[in-house]
Structures are given as C-alpha cells and as structure tokens.
Amino acid sequence: MTKQIHINEASQYVDQEVVIGVWLADKRSSGKISFLQLRDGTAFFQGVVVKNSVSDQIWEIAKSVHQESSMYVTGVIHEDSRSHFGYEIEISDIELISQSEGYPITPKEHGIEFLLDNRHLWLRSRRPFAIMKIRNEMIRATYEFFNKEGFIKMDSPILTGSAPEGTTELFHIDYFDSDAYLSQSGQLYQEAGAEAFGKVFSFGPAFRAEKSKSRRHLTEFWMIEPEMAFMHQDESLAIQEHYIAFLVQSVLDNCAYELKILERDTDQLKKYTKLPFPRISYDEAVELLQKGGHDFKWGEDFGSPDETFISEQFDQPVFIMNYPKTIKPFYMKEDPKRDDVYLCADLLAPEGYGEIIGGSERETDYEILKQRIVDAGLSLDEYQWYLDLRKYGSVPHSGFGLGLERAITWICKLDHLREAIPFPRMITRIKP
Amino acid sequence: MTKQIHINEASQYVDQEVVIGVWLADKRSSGKISFLQLRDGTAFFQGVVVKNSVSDQIWEIAKSVHQESSMYVTGVIHEDSRSHFGYEIEISDIELISQSEGYPITPKEHGIEFLLDNRHLWLRSRRPFAIMKIRNEMIRATYEFFNKEGFIKMDSPILTGSAPEGTTELFHIDYFDSDAYLSQSGQLYQEAGAEAFGKVFSFGPAFRAEKSKSRRHLTEFWMIEPEMAFMHQDESLAIQEHYIAFLVQSVLDNCAYELKILERDTDQLKKYTKLPFPRISYDEAVELLQKGGHDFKWGEDFGSPDETFISEQFDQPVFIMNYPKTIKPFYMKEDPKRDDVYLCADLLAPEGYGEIIGGSERETDYEILKQRIVDAGLSLDEYQWYLDLRKYGSVPHSGFGLGLERAITWICKLDHLREAIPFPRMITRIKP
Ligand SMILES: [Mg+2]
Ligand SMILES: [Mg+2]
C-alpha cells in the first residue's frame, strides 16, 4: 500500500509515490496541465495533473473539482525550486471525498466582517493559517521556557466569587444562588502559588467587559502570568526579557515557512533576540514624549498613541520602569528610594506595538497592603485570603503578565488583535 | 557569596555551603538539636540546627520560629539516608524574613471545608503540593505528546453566543446587549480546526452548571480535546491509549518523589503503560453488569456505580465501544454495521475510577447531520457554521475529550475531584 504522508513531510519522500489527504485551496489550468494548490493543515503545495499521464476520469476530476473539496491524491513528490514551498506532487490518482459547492471565501478580496462571520472557514486561508501556527509555536515555546526555568503551571480559577479590581469591566454570572465573575487576571492566585511552589505560571483565558472597539482589545484573551517567590524586580526583568527573546527565537527557528507567508521581515525579528532590552524610567519616557511634542504631564497614564510613540524610539522592546503609584494597582511594592513610584515595569514592543507585558515587585508588608486595600475602596473581607499571604510567611516576590494576542500581533506584524486568536470575541462579536 | 539554590538541587551540592529561601513546615527539638522541616516549593527537607555549633542568636531563632515563617537558611548539604528526601542541611545561619503567628493549618487533622476555605494556604501542605506537581507534569506531558504527534494547539472560545447542547447546564452571561454562555466543550470548534490544521487540540477550562454534589463533578474543570482530520475511530483509539500510557509513564519518570508523598502504588501505575488497553462493546459491558447482578437494561446510560463496577473488572483502562445512539450526542457517526449505535468509545479508568475520556468518529454527511440537529430540537440557524464543515470539504474525522481532573484523581488515587485543581469550584464553593 502506498504510504500516506503529510505535506510538511514531502522533503523526506522525494521521487517516491505517496498518498495525501488534502483540500483544494485553489487551482488553475493551462490546456493539458492542471495545477492544483493543495493544503492538508500542515502546509500548502502544488499538485500537477498532466492530461496525457492520467486516465480520462482523473483528468475530469482535476478539471471539475471545486475550491475546498476534499480528496486523497496519489503521486510522486518532486523538488520544485520555483515554488514557495520547494516541493510539488505529480498526481497519478485522485479519490474525491467530498465535492464542495460555492465555498464563500474566494481568492478575491473580502471585507473583514464577512471573513470574521466565516471564521470557521477563514482559518483555512494562508494568512490565518500562518498566524495560528505561529500562535501554536509561541504556546509551545512558553511551556518549554517556563518548565526549563523550574516553574510549575498552576491554574488560577476563572470563576471568582469576588470582584477584585471593581466590577465595571467584569462579566457577571449568576452562580446558583450567589454571584460570580469571570477573572480578568489570575495574579492574586499566582501569588498564593508562589508561596506554595516557589515559581509558578498560569496560562489561560482572561475576560474584560471593556466597551472598547480598539484594535488592541478583545473581551476574551489569553494571558501568561508568572510569579516568583524570593525574587526582586530586577531578576524578574531578566526573566521577562529572556522569555521574549526565547519566543522570538523559537518562531524564527520553527516557523520560517509561516513567516514567509506573512512576509514578516526576519532580520527585524532577529534584533529582538539580542539582550538586554533597553530600560528607561517613566520619568524619562515622559521627557521623550514632551520633547516629541506630546502634550503629556507627569502622573498621567500612557494612552495607545503615547506607547506607540515611545516604542518607535527604540528598535528593540523597551522596559518603562517605575510608574507613579496613582496609575498602577494597589498590590505593587513602593520604590524604596522614592515614595511616589512603584517597583514596576511595562514592556513595550517595538514597531509601534506598545505594551505586551506589565509586571512588578509585590508589596510584602501586611499593614501597608491592608491600608492600600482600604484606600482603594475595596473590601477587606474579600481580600482577607490575599492578606493572609503576607501574614503567613511573606517573602519578596515579583511577577508579570504577558498578553498572548498582543505578543502575536507584534511578532506577526498584524494590525488588529482579532487576527491573533482563533475565534475572536469583541464587543460586537460573539459568533461563530 | 554563598550560592543560593533550591531544595530539589541539593544532590548537586553535597558537602557544600549553600543558601536557600524557605518556609518552616514543621519542627521538633530534642534538647540541643532543632530539626526544622523546611520547604521551598520544589521539595521538603530537614534542616538541622545544633546548639553548640551556632551563635546564641541563631539558636534562639531556631527555637522560636513558628510554622510557615519565611527565612534564608545557610548551611552545608549532607546526604541523609534516613530521611524521606535523602538530603538535609546542617544550618549555620538563619536570616528570618517574616515571622508567622497562628498559621491556621497545623499538623493536626482538619475538616475538608476548613481546608478548602484556606486553599490559598493548604496548597503548601505535602499532599496538595504533591498532587499539584503531578498535575503540572501531566500538563507538561500533554503538550509534549501532542506536539510530537504533529498536533497544533487551537484554542476554542470560552464565550459562546449560542447554547449548543441546551441551556440547562450552561452558565449564562449578559454580554453587552446580547446573551452569551460559558463553553462546556470546545469540540465543535476543534472540528473547524481539524479542517484547517489537520490535527488540533484544545486545552482550557470548561464549565458545567450542574447541580451535582458528586465527587466526580466540578463546575470549572480543564479539558483536553484533540480532533483529527482524515482519521477513523480505530486510529483515534490508538492515539488515546498512547496518550494515557505517556501521561502515566511521564508521572512515573518525573514525579517519583511526589508519588511517594501520596503513597501511590507505582507497580499498579506501571500496568497502565502496557498497550493495547482492553476493548469491549457496550453490549458486552451490559452483559457484565447483568451477570454482576446489576439491574441494568440495554439502552440505559451508565451511572457512576455502573462505571465503577465495570472498571473494577479490568486492571487496565478499558474502552467501552459503540453506545446506543439514544444516550450519546447528535454529532457522532453511526456504526456502518448497525443503525442503533455510534462509532464511539468511553475510556474507563481502573480501580473503580470510571470515565476519563469520551470520544467518537464524527458524522460527515451534511443531510444526516442537519436532520439530527432538527431531531434534537436544536436551532439550525445556530448550527449553520457547524454544518458548513460538512458542506465545504467534509472529511472522515474523529476526536475525543479528556477531563484533566478526572485523570489526575485516578493517577493520584484521590477520593474527590476537588483535590485535583488548585482552586476548586463547586455548587457551594466559589471562594477563595
Ligand atoms: Mg499601560
Ligand atoms: Mg458517561
């Protein structure tokens, strides 16, 4: 029996006859030759059907098969230096599985809303295919990195009985006879994890009921949140930059084909694997903005245009360190040298992409943290379990959060987060 | 400066002086020696403080330090064949970071509700520690297995705009001006993924608003859902059993210390790495039950006691194949040899644990599937995108779902799923 393979194994079967289960992505004919663009989920490549080399019946199938029909093709693999992929198959037999009529996504241009309505099909097209493969590689590399560094994955709960940072951007759920909310961040739970397991990370979905239509927001997104006990902010920054460099290097090493589909400049990406990343203080960032003509005052938070401007001043990711306390959450540790800023940093991606990581050292003192909770107008009762972490064996600890889709958007050089997740959820989109 | 290490690195530092950041798990004194049971998140081991070898101040700290206080200890690593761990540290210096007063979880017995109320602290105890490390290893091994097998991870959405299998067990969300539900399963989306990427898997949280207090149910749990294009049920069963054997082998290889803490019989576990797993039909399972004196009729679904009984008849996981159509979901493929059963199988774990995997070949025919949706009283409109997968390039495909916590409960030999997840969610528990 002829061996059944996948397209991405073609290089190992040159001049051999193989069978491949495929879909027809596109086709063109030139008289007595049919060129079938085939895909099987691992890659795209060309199948060539020569009229004089096949039966009339096979030639008929090759001529009449429609876009996205499924079939088993049999043929011999050839090297083909002219093709994008480097190999093609000279087809001797076709077994049609299912003829497809009127596939809605044609080679012509379609509007984004139409494509999103058909996301279950659009994922098959070259560009979403390449992005999702890169997403997969970044997920794989994330596990490799944190496992190697001695972290354990500890899943924070998604359903939470309290609303830690206020309820305005939280999705509410009737949880039997009580209330629950979808988690925006698992960080507080990761802090409990750090005191149990030393170094932990979560990697799961997070939810934000933000009424924003910005290209940088999704209502459902995936976050990676590492938290490290016995660790100060400077060591945390070192882990962050090593992690980012590892992500980029992994994509360069394992997704050359997908980066080519996206026409991503790999020389540009290579720059992001050089460490350390530049570090500037919030104060210096404010100066940069002011010198650049931005109307920005110390103490304000950066908006997207500000982040874009700052990140464009560097050709690597840049850490902005030590933000004013007034614009950052209550659990951060005060800079011991100044009482108006925290020991924190955001990492801004270059090429104008802005924030992809936010992180800080955490406050360890029970009384200070308790007062902060009160000052923030939050319920001491809801936070007692979190305060317990400072009552029983408090240690210096730091952590950060990476938004997966933001990192993908940057590495793939996309315009909008909605292309970085298989089934995007936005204020106006909950289907399919 | 003395090198700072983790406890699980002790074997590499025998007879060397090191520093370790630790918490005090427990302690006992015998006159002029204090034995500190230390933990740092990687392991537990003993620190020995000899009064005559340390300053009065250090001796005082060793005597007065309370459970779960945090400190840096300095000392020399020794081999210690009497200890559980094999190594201990002879302490010369202690830097107390934070004294802990009145830690609620003492070495005495506590009730389960009290422990769950203090889950943020209970995670530090030996047993939860060991279970969570094994959970982490099973997560790591899952990615290793599916990456190696050529799958890509494709995240199904958690927020869904329709209620695929009826709304009774779904959590509802007000999604801006429309309705949304928390996903119970990402399978339908994985089927779209299989037609785009060939072999895909999801690994994320799923939610079931089931009013069950059973020890086999959580409202929030994690599922692994692989889906394979161009694949029939028999090949899917082979992947399933290889995956399970790989999970068990990975835990045996990498969690010997944790299995010892749990006193898990590793000879028993080794049996579960032998392939193939036994396979019996639903019909044969019914016979087994009837012979065993169970009042069970063909066509009924197995309850937990039935599954327990069946699984106790085998000393390996066992596949129950081809269930009646009436008790399984609409999307499964009919057995070509019989019109009353589907090509499906559940995998029951041994030692009475019952179902850990459910899977099937999927129906590929547009018209049959459409009729099934109508017959199930579901909305054709909501399912049109799913029907599209049969309209455009339908191919034979199969998939399955593994409940992570059920698999952990079995591998760790636990009584209840609530111990298999860091922060369990049940009908009466949504905090901390
Ligand atoms: Mg910001
Ligand atoms: Mg069942």
Side-chain angles (χ1 to χ4, degrees):
Chain A
M1 216 175 81
T2 310
K3 177 146 186 169
Q4 189 167 339
I5 69 161
H6 294 290
I7 294 176
N8 67 353
E9 300 165 319
S11 65
Q12 303 160 42
Y13 294 90
V14 173
D15 296 331
Q16 296 179 45
E17 187 181 73
V18 297
V19 175
I20 316 183
V22 294
W23 292 268
L24 182 70
D26 196 5
K27 101 185 149 169
R28 62 190 172 81
S29 282
S30 86
K32 299 187 182 227
I33 305 188
S34 241
F35 297 98
L36 309 182
Q37 299 303 322
L38 306 173
R39 64 171 195 86
D40 75 342
T42 69
F44 294 76
F45 85 152
Q46 179 165 275
V48 182
V49 187
V50 179
K51 185 178 177 186
N52 291 340
S53 309
V54 298
S55 69
D56 289 354
Q57 188 206 351
I58 300 303
W59 178 248
E60 267 316 302
I61 293 176
K63 277 206 322 189
S64 64
V65 68
H66 295 142
Q67 193 190 351
E68 283 307 317
S69 293
S70 49
M71 52 202 165
Y72 291 106
V73 297
T74 303
V76 175
I77 302 290
H78 294 301
E79 285 196 62
D80 174 21
S81 57
R82 293 156 308 173
S83 95
H84 184 63
F85 181 70
Y87 301 91
E88 62 177 28
I89 183 169
E90 190 185 335
I91 293 172
S92 55
D93 194 16
I94 300 175
E95 181 193 333
L96 191 62
I97 302 170
S98 173
Q99 175 73 284
S100 166
E101 303 276 357
Y103 186 70
I105 302 173
T106 59
K108 70 164 190 173
E109 288 271 316
H110 295 281
I112 182 68
E113 292 304 321
F114 176 82
L115 291 171
L116 288 171
D117 286 342
N118 288 285
R119 183 64 168 174
H120 56 296
L121 304 173
W122 186 30
L123 286 170
R124 305 176 186 187
S125 299
R126 274 183 177 72
R127 181 180 161 86
F129 168 84
I131 297 167
M132 289 303 119
K133 297 279 262 195
I134 290 171
R135 178 186 171 102
N136 174 62
E137 174 58 19
M138 290 169 67
I139 294 171
R140 192 204 62 70
T142 294
Y143 281 91
E144 185 186 341
F145 181 84
F146 287 106
N147 283 320
K148 203 180 56 187
E149 293 286 327
F151 285 69
I152 86 156
K153 190 195 185 209
M154 193 200 73
D155 295 305
S156 285
I158 308 297
L159 297 172
T160 54
S162 55
E165 299 182 43
T167 56
T168 53
E169 293 183 351
L170 287 177
F171 288 111
H172 170 265
I173 292 162
D174 291 316
Y175 191 81
F176 305 104
D177 299 324
S178 65
D179 293 307
Y181 302 90
L182 292 183
S183 175
Q184 276 193 6
S185 158
Q187 180 203 311
L188 307 192
Y189 293 96
Q190 294 302 309
E191 292 186 50
E195 293 191 0
F197 308 106
K199 291 190 279 188
V200 290
F201 73 109
S202 66
F203 190 174
F207 303 88
R208 205 160 288 178
E210 208 167 354
K211 286 194 174 162
S212 164
K213 292 188 181 177
S214 141
R215 64 195 172 84
R216 288 191 189 177
H217 289 91
L218 295 168
T219 54
E220 174 179 325
F221 54 101
W222 285 66
M223 287 231 288
I224 294 132
E225 296 186 288
E227 192 76 31
M228 299 78 72
F230 299 105
M231 192 176 288
H232 296 285
Q233 173 69 353
D234 52 344
E235 293 168 84
S236 173
L237 293 184
I239 288 182
Q240 291 171 47
E241 63 188 4
H242 279 92
Y243 171 44
I244 295 295
F246 187 79
L247 280 183
V248 174
Q249 190 62 55
S250 298
V251 170
L252 283 167
D253 289 345
N254 301 319
C255 298
Y257 173 69
E258 290 78 10
L259 291 169
K260 207 152 80 174
I261 290 176
L262 297 176
E263 297 175 358
R264 181 59 161 129
D265 182 348
T266 52
D267 288 334
Q268 193 77 26
L269 284 179
K270 278 189 196 106
K271 290 183 196 161
Y272 310 149
T273 63
K274 300 280 179 296
L275 297 183
F277 293 154
R279 295 165 195 212
I280 64 170
S281 66
Y282 170 87
D283 299 357
E284 288 166 327
V286 171
E287 263 182 61
L288 269 180
L289 282 171
Q290 289 170 344
K291 280 187 189 152
H294 286 242
D295 180 22
F296 190 94
K297 286 183 207 60
W298 195 98
E300 292 177 346
D301 199 3
F302 302 129
S304 285
D306 304 314
E307 286 186 358
T308 297
F309 176 82
I310 298 166
S311 82
E312 281 169 353
Q313 311 309 305
F314 298 87
D315 60 359
Q316 275 178 291
V318 55
F319 285 113
I320 314 294
M321 301 188 300
N322 303 356
Y323 286 70
K325 287 160 77 172
T326 46
I327 57 171
K328 286 290 180 189
F330 72 90
Y331 48 70
M332 294 184 172
K333 189 175 175 66
E334 190 179 293
D335 185 341
K337 299 189 294 289
R338 279 171 66 173
D339 68 0
D340 57 346
V341 301
Y342 283 136
L343 287 178
C344 65
D346 285 358
L347 182 69
L348 306 190
E351 302 177 70
Y353 277 93
E355 183 190 342
I356 51 172
I357 288 182
S360 78
E361 190 159 335
R362 318 305 189 186
E363 181 53 57
T364 52
D365 184 84
Y366 184 89
E367 293 302 333
I368 293 175
L369 194 61
K370 186 174 167 185
Q371 190 57 49
R372 294 246 193 92
I373 290 169
V374 171
D375 292 348
L378 300 168
S379 150
L380 278 179
D381 208 42
E382 297 283 6
Y383 281 92
Q384 191 51 56
W385 73 268
Y386 183 63
L387 282 166
D388 279 355
L389 306 178
R390 277 68 177 175
K391 198 168 182 176
Y392 307 115
S394 191
V395 295
H397 65 292
S398 302
F400 62 95
L402 171 93
L404 177 65
E405 288 76 17
R406 288 186 175 197
I408 294 167
T409 300
W410 160 55
I411 289 177
C412 293
K413 202 167 183 173
L414 311 179
D415 287 334
H416 197 299
L417 255 62
R418 65 190 167 208
E419 286 193 72
I421 190 164
F423 291 89
R425 298 316 191 212
M426 292 166 288
I427 178 168
T428 55
R429 178 164 297 282
I430 185 77
K431 294 179 183 180
Chain B
M1 216 176 80
T2 310
K3 178 145 187 171
Q4 189 169 338
I5 69 160
H6 294 290
I7 294 177
N8 67 353
E9 298 166 319
S11 65
Q12 301 161 44
Y13 294 89
V14 173
D15 295 332
Q16 295 180 44
E17 188 181 71
V18 297
V19 175
I20 315 183
V22 295
W23 293 267
L24 182 70
D26 196 4
K27 103 182 147 171
R28 62 187 173 84
S29 281
S30 84
K32 300 185 178 230
I33 306 185
S34 240
F35 298 98
L36 310 181
Q37 299 303 322
L38 306 173
R39 62 171 197 88
D40 76 342
T42 70
F44 294 76
F45 85 152
Q46 178 165 276
V48 180
V49 187
V50 179
K51 186 177 178 189
N52 291 338
S53 310
V54 297
S55 69
D56 289 353
Q57 189 206 349
I58 300 303
W59 179 248
E60 266 316 303
I61 293 176
K63 276 206 325 189
S64 64
V65 69
H66 295 143
Q67 193 191 352
E68 284 305 320
S69 293
S70 50
M71 51 201 167
Y72 291 106
V73 296
T74 304
V76 175
I77 301 289
H78 294 300
E79 286 197 62
D80 174 21
S81 57
R82 292 156 309 170
S83 97
H84 185 61
F85 182 69
Y87 302 90
E88 62 177 27
I89 183 168
E90 190 185 334
I91 295 173
S92 55
D93 195 16
I94 300 175
E95 181 193 331
L96 191 63
I97 301 170
S98 173
Q99 176 72 284
S100 167
E101 303 276 356
Y103 187 70
I105 302 173
T106 59
K108 69 164 191 174
E109 287 272 315
H110 295 283
I112 183 68
E113 291 305 321
F114 176 82
L115 290 171
L116 288 171
D117 285 342
N118 287 286
R119 184 63 168 174
H120 56 296
L121 303 174
W122 185 31
L123 286 170
R124 305 176 185 186
S125 299
R126 275 184 176 75
R127 181 182 162 85
F129 168 84
I131 297 167
M132 289 303 120
K133 296 279 261 195
I134 289 171
R135 179 185 170 101
N136 174 63
E137 174 58 20
M138 290 169 66
I139 295 171
R140 193 205 60 72
T142 294
Y143 280 91
E144 185 186 339
F145 181 84
F146 288 106
N147 284 321
K148 202 181 57 187
E149 293 285 327
F151 285 70
I152 85 156
K153 191 196 184 210
M154 192 199 77
D155 296 304
S156 285
I158 309 297
L159 297 171
T160 54
S162 54
E165 299 181 41
T167 57
T168 54
E169 293 184 351
L170 288 176
F171 287 110
H172 171 266
I173 292 162
D174 290 316
Y175 191 81
F176 304 105
D177 299 325
S178 65
D179 293 306
Y181 303 90
L182 293 183
S183 175
Q184 277 194 3
S185 158
Q187 179 201 311
L188 307 191
Y189 293 96
Q190 293 304 308
E191 292 186 51
E195 293 191 0
F197 308 107
K199 290 189 279 190
V200 291
F201 73 109
S202 66
F203 191 174
F207 303 88
R208 205 158 291 177
E210 209 167 352
K211 286 193 174 160
S212 165
K213 292 188 181 176
S214 142
R215 63 194 174 85
R216 288 191 187 175
H217 289 91
L218 295 168
T219 54
E220 174 179 326
F221 53 100
W222 284 66
M223 286 230 288
I224 293 132
E225 297 187 288
E227 192 76 30
M228 299 78 74
F230 299 106
M231 191 177 287
H232 296 285
Q233 174 69 354
D234 51 345
E235 292 169 84
S236 174
L237 293 184
I239 288 182
Q240 291 171 46
E241 63 188 4
H242 279 91
Y243 170 44
I244 295 296
F246 186 79
L247 280 184
V248 174
Q249 190 62 56
S250 298
V251 170
L252 282 167
D253 289 346
N254 301 319
C255 298
Y257 173 68
E258 289 78 10
L259 291 170
K260 207 153 79 174
I261 290 176
L262 296 176
E263 299 175 355
R264 181 60 160 129
D265 182 348
T266 51
D267 288 334
Q268 191 77 25
L269 284 178
K270 277 190 197 106
K271 290 183 194 162
Y272 311 148
T273 64
K274 301 279 179 296
L275 296 182
F277 292 155
R279 295 166 195 210
I280 63 170
S281 66
Y282 170 86
D283 300 356
E284 288 166 327
V286 171
E287 261 181 65
L288 269 180
L289 282 171
Q290 290 170 343
K291 279 187 191 153
H294 286 242
D295 179 25
F296 190 94
K297 285 183 206 62
W298 195 98
E300 292 178 348
D301 199 2
F302 303 129
S304 285
D306 305 315
E307 286 186 358
T308 297
F309 177 83
I310 298 165
S311 82
E312 281 170 353
Q313 311 310 306
F314 297 86
D315 61 358
Q316 275 179 291
V318 55
F319 285 113
I320 314 293
M321 303 189 298
N322 303 357
Y323 286 70
K325 288 160 77 172
T326 46
I327 57 172
K328 287 290 179 189
F330 72 89
Y331 47 70
M332 294 183 171
K333 189 174 176 70
E334 190 180 293
D335 185 341
K337 299 188 295 291
R338 278 172 66 173
D339 69 0
D340 57 345
V341 300
Y342 282 136
L343 287 177
C344 65
D346 285 357
L347 183 68
L348 306 191
E351 302 178 68
Y353 276 94
E355 184 188 341
I356 52 173
I357 288 182
S360 77
E361 189 159 336
R362 319 304 190 185
E363 181 52 58
T364 53
D365 185 83
Y366 184 89
E367 293 302 333
I368 292 175
L369 195 61
K370 187 174 167 185
Q371 191 57 49
R372 294 246 192 94
I373 289 168
V374 171
D375 292 346
L378 300 167
S379 150
L380 278 179
D381 209 42
E382 298 283 8
Y383 281 92
Q384 190 52 55
W385 73 267
Y386 183 63
L387 281 167
D388 280 356
L389 306 178
R390 277 69 179 177
K391 198 168 182 175
Y392 307 116
S394 191
V395 295
H397 65 293
S398 303
F400 62 96
L402 171 93
L404 177 64
E405 288 77 15
R406 289 187 175 196
I408 294 168
T409 299
W410 160 54
I411 289 177
C412 293
K413 201 165 182 173
L414 311 179
D415 287 334
H416 198 299
L417 255 62
R418 66 191 166 206
E419 286 194 72
I421 190 165
F423 291 90
R425 297 318 191 207
M426 291 166 288
I427 178 167
T428 54
R429 178 164 297 282
I430 185 77
K431 293 180 184 179

